[in-house]
Amino acid sequence: MALKDESHAISEFIDVANGHIFSNVLKTSIELGVFDTLGAMTRKGSRRSVEHIAKACGCSKNGVKILLDALVLKGFLTKSSPKSSAYDLSHWSAIVESIILADAVHWYNCDEFTELVRNNLNTVVISGKSESVSLSEKDTLLQKYSQNMTNFNRSLALKVATSILSIGGKRDLILDVGSGHGLVGPSLATMELGNDDTTHERSKLVTIDKSAALGSAFENAANANLKNERYTQVKGDPVSSDWGKYKADSILFVDYLNECDWEEVLTLLKKAKRSLKENGSIYIVETFSNEENDLISPVITVPLLMLTKGSVRSFMEYKKFCLEVGFKSADLISLPNSKHSVIVLRNDSKRVLEIPLESEKSKEIFDRNKHKIVPREGFSSPEENTWSYPMSLGDFVGLVERMVLSSI
């Protein structure tokens, strides 16, 4: 091994082994307002030296310099040159609201999750099952995930809804099965198409999940003005509960089937098939493995191993399984700037006509609804309101995984 390669390998090892330091650097920087402060100083044209940033944040010069240099090393901040005294937001940090970052980091770095993985990963890896983790612990953490990752998934929800409507998806009645944060359903139900289309004013949404997970879904539906007869919750495990009375145009499985084993997937797909209208479609939204490169981030796979019976699967695995269940077609749609994709299942043999998601139709739909991305009042981010806005959970994973791996 060349000396340079050996040095790089050692550096990689040290980075990963000390990931808890970097994850806490990120968490502390958010809590102390480093990103917000730099953004404000940039807009005002103020000097952005260590001394000025430390004073604005009310912190020591030495402490802030350590944070700033670590953020530069990880690509969250930049310096025009090693000797430059001025720090700047990287392109990525400049388009992401710190409130979104904060919520996401609070999930990745929360004591309940990090301690659970630290104390149980060895046992779970040996057994291949998450039985060492109690059901109540799993439910608590999945609920915490739904709450903390809501803001981070708004862009994903809007892209999924745009994609479904771009290929002619229907929405008089939408079933969101295993709804979790419940963002995609409201986005699909209320997205405005223009051209005298009024379906967004009458679409109805039914969310189906365990009661502990439905709090976020209810709040997001209410925020989208889906109330009274337009919104229904079915409380219970989607695998065992009865939701067969609903006949839907669209049935959503968003980051849910990958939490289930194949037997449960079979049960859910058979139920969905019976609940689908003649010309309806089922949409499976997940991060799928690539059969040519089966390497998946452990930030995705480890939580699935620890908290669920499922795993990350490939499109071809799902397609083969779905055709065996009795669906006539299974097609894959990629989302722009996202590691998530959408599988479209139909009871008839009508294939999805691939509409490029960079098409004018997609952009027009997205632009008409982009204001809905704004996560909270007072935290708008103009740069994120573009069809190519890159922030989804899958994209975030690629940037912070090394910073959190050893902390969990």
Side-chain angles (χ1 to χ4, degrees):
M1 178 186 290
L3 186 61
K4 184 177 180 181
D5 291 338
E6 182 177 352
S7 175
H8 177 71
I10 292 172
S11 177
E12 287 287 297
F13 167 77
I14 292 173
D15 274 3
V16 174
N18 289 282
H20 62 283
I21 293 177
F22 289 110
S23 61
N24 279 288
V25 163
L26 179 58
K27 181 173 181 286
T28 300
S29 299
I30 293 168
E31 291 172 345
L32 295 178
V34 171
F35 293 101
D36 289 336
T37 298
L38 265 173
M41 295 174 85
T42 300
R43 288 190 293 272
K44 293 177 182 178
S46 305
R47 294 182 62 186
R48 298 178 300 284
S49 65
V50 172
E51 292 84 353
H52 290 88
I53 297 169
K55 182 178 180 181
C57 292
C59 301
S60 69
K61 174 183 172 183
N62 182 51
V64 165
K65 178 170 173 48
I66 289 172
L67 294 182
L68 295 174
D69 288 349
L71 293 171
V72 170
L73 286 171
K74 292 301 177 183
F76 289 91
L77 301 181
T78 63
K79 294 181 74 175
S80 57
S81 70
K83 294 183 179 180
S84 172
S85 63
Y87 292 83
D88 292 292
L89 296 172
S90 67
H91 173 70
W92 180 80
S93 297
I95 66 172
V96 183
E97 280 298 327
S98 60
I99 194 69
I100 301 177
L101 271 179
D103 286 347
V105 170
H106 286 157
W107 156 250
Y108 283 119
N109 211 43
C110 71
D111 290 340
E112 301 97 318
F113 184 51
T114 57
E115 290 178 10
L116 178 70
V117 179
R118 186 183 299 116
N119 295 334
N120 293 278
L121 183 57
N122 187 298
T123 303
V124 175
V125 166
I126 292 172
S127 67
K129 300 178 181 179
S130 61
E131 293 173 351
S132 59
V133 183
S134 71
L135 186 61
S136 61
E137 285 180 300
K138 294 178 186 178
D139 286 346
T140 298
L141 282 168
L142 289 172
Q143 183 181 6
K144 189 178 184 72
Y145 168 82
S146 294
Q147 293 169 341
N148 281 281
M149 298 306 292
T150 290
N151 287 328
F152 217 91
N153 282 299
R154 290 185 187 278
S155 179
L156 171 65
L158 202 57
K159 288 179 179 180
V160 172
T162 298
S163 304
I164 290 173
L165 294 173
S166 293
I167 60 173
K170 307 300 181 183
R171 54 176 176 175
D172 284 344
L173 179 62
I174 303 164
L175 294 187
D176 189 355
V177 183
S179 55
H181 53 67
L183 280 169
V184 177
S187 292
L188 179 58
T190 61
M191 181 166 278
E192 299 174 28
L193 294 179
N195 299 323
D196 299 323
D197 178 86
T198 59
T199 55
H200 67 282
E201 297 176 357
R202 62 175 185 272
S203 296
K204 295 181 180 179
L205 173 65
V206 178
T207 54
I208 305 166
D209 210 334
K210 297 177 182 178
S211 57
L214 285 171
S216 297
F218 178 83
E219 180 179 347
N220 289 319
N223 289 339
N225 205 31
L226 290 172
K227 303 174 182 178
N228 303 321
E229 73 279 357
R230 293 192 65 189
Y231 181 65
T232 303
Q233 287 190 334
V234 177
K235 297 180 180 180
D237 185 340
V239 176
S240 56
S241 60
D242 180 16
W243 37 279
K245 69 178 182 178
Y246 299 102
K247 291 296 181 181
D249 301 279
S250 294
I251 299 179
L252 305 171
F253 291 102
V254 182
D255 285 325
Y256 177 59
L257 293 185
N258 59 3
E259 298 179 6
C260 305
D261 60 30
W262 278 118
E263 184 177 345
E264 292 173 328
V265 173
L266 175 63
T267 298
L268 288 164
L269 288 177
K270 284 183 175 180
K271 283 186 172 185
K273 193 173 186 299
R274 291 193 295 267
S275 294
L276 198 62
K277 290 182 181 178
E278 183 178 352
N279 296 319
S281 298
I282 293 171
Y283 304 96
I284 303 172
V285 183
E286 288 179 14
T287 299
F288 301 104
S289 64
N290 184 335
E291 293 184 332
E292 296 179 0
N293 179 10
D294 202 31
L295 298 177
I296 303 294
S297 166
V299 175
I300 297 175
T301 55
V302 168
L304 286 176
L305 177 65
M306 295 297 303
L307 301 174
T308 76
K309 302 176 185 178
S311 62
V312 178
R313 304 177 177 110
S314 71
F315 164 63
M316 293 308 297
E317 285 181 295
Y318 270 118
K319 181 175 182 178
K320 183 176 181 295
F321 191 77
C322 291
L323 294 178
E324 290 176 354
V325 168
F327 291 99
K328 300 298 183 183
S329 66
D331 297 288
L332 183 68
I333 298 176
S334 298
L335 299 176
N337 295 303
S338 176
K339 291 184 179 179
H340 280 76
S341 299
V342 183
I343 295 177
V344 184
L345 304 178
R346 292 181 61 88
N347 275 330
D348 57 38
S349 56
K350 180 180 178 182
R351 300 296 303 277
V352 172
L353 295 177
E354 182 65 27
I355 297 178
L357 297 183
E358 292 298 328
S359 69
E360 289 304 314
K361 181 175 181 179
S362 295
K363 290 178 181 177
E364 180 184 346
I365 295 173
F366 189 90
D367 287 344
R368 188 182 297 276
N369 297 272
K370 63 187 180 183
H371 62 281
K372 298 176 183 177
I373 291 181
V374 177
R376 294 180 186 172
E377 185 177 356
F379 289 99
S380 60
S381 178
E383 295 86 351
E384 73 183 12
N385 292 335
T386 64
W387 178 231
S388 298
Y389 174 58
M391 291 315 304
S392 72
L393 175 59
D395 301 312
F396 182 68
V397 162
L399 284 165
V400 302
E401 61 184 358
R402 284 171 56 195
M403 302 179 75
V404 299
L405 281 181
S406 68
S407 69
I408 63 174

